[in-house]
């Protein structure tokens, strides 16, 4: 805030020899730590050479009118990149220092090729689309017979966050995620379908406190028995016994974002660690 109490505005540019998606993602992750500032952002992708770089810098300086904008850059070519290392902007080279340190540590030369990750975009996108389709088709207990194909299975009482976490796992982590609601039939009988029991190593059980669940349900079904604190307490206790009986991994969702829950879920089922090999 300035002295008059208005929000500070800072111009930001994400410049790249490729799509600028990585520059934007990394820049945004850093800028998210500064909540008191409003950022006016623009991507400038496909800066292939000196002419493109000079035009881009001229555009930046014209748009920002001497306000010294922030420039986050992922351009690999040094001569092109150096065009933006101007005293009229605050220049942040996202790759250079890290890449050089990695070369020293790994005792190998980096490709330094712009947009190399795009080589794998098609296969990665296909995997993501497949995961999204699977998660949508196996939401809320549908197609139980196909749960063997799931990479992770979420279970829990109604409104415990199964569907949003499942969709996040598919869209952001390319994982085939299924989810199953614990209804009164399963809770009263303390039983789970055989399709879930035989896949218990892939199952994450979501839980929370009765008051937390009550507040969520009350927003949608105010004053109902379904949302009552007594019913929430009963369902969660029954679910806990069910989780214990089948020795299932349990994750408390209370106070956690969807992203946090998703990361902790994949770590719990052993999907958080992957080996990456160079591709030819």
């Amino acid at each position: 805030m300035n002295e008059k109490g208005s929000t500070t505005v800072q111009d930001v540019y994400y410049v790249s020899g490729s799509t600028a998606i990585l520059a934007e993602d990394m820049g945004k992750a850093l800028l998210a730590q500064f909540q008191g500032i409003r950022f006016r952002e623009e991507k400038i992708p496909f800066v292939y050479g000196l002419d493109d770089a000079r035009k881009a810098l001229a555009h930046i300086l014209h748009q920002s009118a001497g306000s010294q904008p922030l420039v986050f850059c992922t351009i690999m070519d040094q001569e092109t990149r150096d065009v933006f290392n101007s005293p009229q902007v605050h220049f942040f080279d996202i790759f250079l220092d890290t890449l050089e340190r990695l070369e020293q540590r790994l005792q190998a030369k980096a490709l330094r090729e712009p947009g190399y990750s795009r080589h794998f975009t098609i296969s990665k996108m296909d995997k993501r689309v497949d995961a999204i389709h699977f998660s949508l088709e196996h939401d809320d207990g549908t197609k139980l017979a196909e749960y063997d194909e799931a990479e992770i299975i979420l279970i829990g009482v109604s409104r415990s966050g199964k569907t949003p976490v499942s969709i996040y796992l598919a869209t952001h982590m390319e994982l085939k995620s299924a989810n199953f609601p614990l209804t009164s039939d399963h809770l009263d009988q303390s039983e789970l379908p055989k399709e879930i029991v035989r896949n218990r190593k892939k199952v994450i059980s979501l839980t929370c406190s009765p008051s937390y669940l009550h507040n969520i349900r009350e927003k949608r079904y105010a004053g109902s028995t379904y949302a009552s604190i007594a019913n929430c307490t009963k369902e969660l206790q029954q679910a806990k016994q069910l989780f214990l009986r089948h020795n299932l991994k349990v994750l408390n969702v209370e106070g956690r974002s969807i992203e946090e829950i998703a990361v902790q879920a994949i770590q719990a089922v052993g999907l958080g660690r992957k080996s990456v090999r160079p591709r030819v």
Side-chain angles (χ1 to χ4, degrees):
M1 296 284 185
N2 60 24
E3 291 181 356
K4 295 181 179 180
S6 60
T7 303
T8 301
V9 178
Q10 174 68 60
D11 285 352
V12 181
Y13 295 87
Y14 305 109
V15 181
S16 171
S18 182
T19 62
I21 292 173
L22 181 60
E24 182 181 31
D25 286 348
M26 295 180 75
K28 282 180 177 291
L30 295 167
L31 297 178
Q33 302 299 316
F34 302 92
Q35 295 295 303
I37 302 173
R38 183 166 67 87
F39 297 102
R40 191 162 47 210
E41 302 163 303
E42 182 179 341
K43 281 194 298 186
I44 305 180
F46 308 117
V47 178
Y48 291 129
L50 290 175
D51 287 344
D52 289 341
R54 291 178 184 128
K55 289 177 183 176
L57 180 61
H59 169 75
I60 290 170
L61 297 179
H62 174 73
Q63 288 286 100
S64 299
S67 64
Q68 287 201 305
L70 310 181
V71 175
F72 291 94
C73 179
T74 56
I75 293 174
M76 291 294 183
D77 179 70
Q78 182 173 346
E79 192 175 9
T80 305
R81 182 176 63 243
D82 286 347
V83 170
F84 297 95
N85 195 3
S86 162
Q88 295 170 287
V89 305
H90 293 290
F91 178 73
F92 296 89
D93 192 322
I94 292 178
F95 269 165
L96 185 60
D97 180 58
T98 302
L99 203 58
E100 289 178 348
R101 290 175 61 194
L102 276 172
E103 286 178 329
Q104 293 171 9
R105 173 64 183 86
L106 299 175
Q107 296 184 353
K109 292 297 291 182
L111 288 172
R112 295 178 182 262
E113 179 182 336
Y116 188 72
S117 62
R118 285 184 295 156
H119 296 183
F120 313 116
T121 297
I122 294 176
S123 61
K124 187 177 178 68
M125 183 59 70
D126 286 345
K127 189 175 189 299
R128 178 172 296 180
V129 170
D130 287 345
I132 293 171
H133 284 165
F134 184 90
S135 297
L136 291 174
E137 291 172 359
H138 299 81
D139 179 47
D140 221 20
T142 54
K143 298 188 178 181
L144 263 174
E146 299 175 2
Y147 272 36
D148 292 348
E149 300 174 32
E151 294 174 273
I152 185 169
I153 300 168
L154 306 176
I155 70 171
V157 300
S158 173
R159 311 302 292 177
S160 57
K162 301 180 298 300
T163 293
V165 175
S166 182
I167 298 302
Y168 184 91
L169 287 166
T171 56
H172 292 269
M173 299 178 179
E174 295 93 40
L175 293 173
K176 291 183 178 180
S177 175
N179 72 82
F180 185 83
L182 296 177
T183 64
S184 57
D185 290 341
H186 307 100
L187 295 173
D188 291 341
Q189 297 175 19
S190 195
E191 285 293 344
L192 285 172
K194 62 182 184 298
E195 293 86 355
I196 290 179
V197 174
R198 70 170 174 253
N199 286 293
R200 64 165 61 89
K201 291 183 178 179
K202 298 189 286 189
V203 173
I204 294 294
S205 312
L206 303 184
T207 191
C208 58
S209 70
S211 60
Y212 182 81
L213 184 62
H214 164 70
N215 288 334
I216 292 175
R217 290 182 174 183
E218 188 72 13
K219 289 176 182 177
R220 192 163 184 178
Y221 302 100
S224 65
T225 301
Y226 163 78
S228 69
I229 192 71
N231 187 60
C232 291
T233 301
K234 176 186 175 184
E235 287 189 18
L236 289 168
Q237 287 177 342
Q238 289 177 316
K240 181 179 179 181
Q241 293 303 313
L242 195 57
F243 303 157
L244 288 171
R245 178 177 179 182
H246 292 283
N247 194 28
L248 301 176
K249 302 176 186 71
V250 180
L251 178 58
N252 193 317
V253 302
E254 189 166 349
R256 292 186 170 94
S257 66
I258 291 173
E259 295 86 347
E260 289 177 287
I261 298 167
V263 169
Q264 291 178 356
I266 64 171
Q267 289 175 337
V269 297
L271 292 172
R273 185 179 179 87
K274 296 181 180 178
S275 295
V276 180
R277 293 183 176 88
R279 305 190 188 187
V280 179

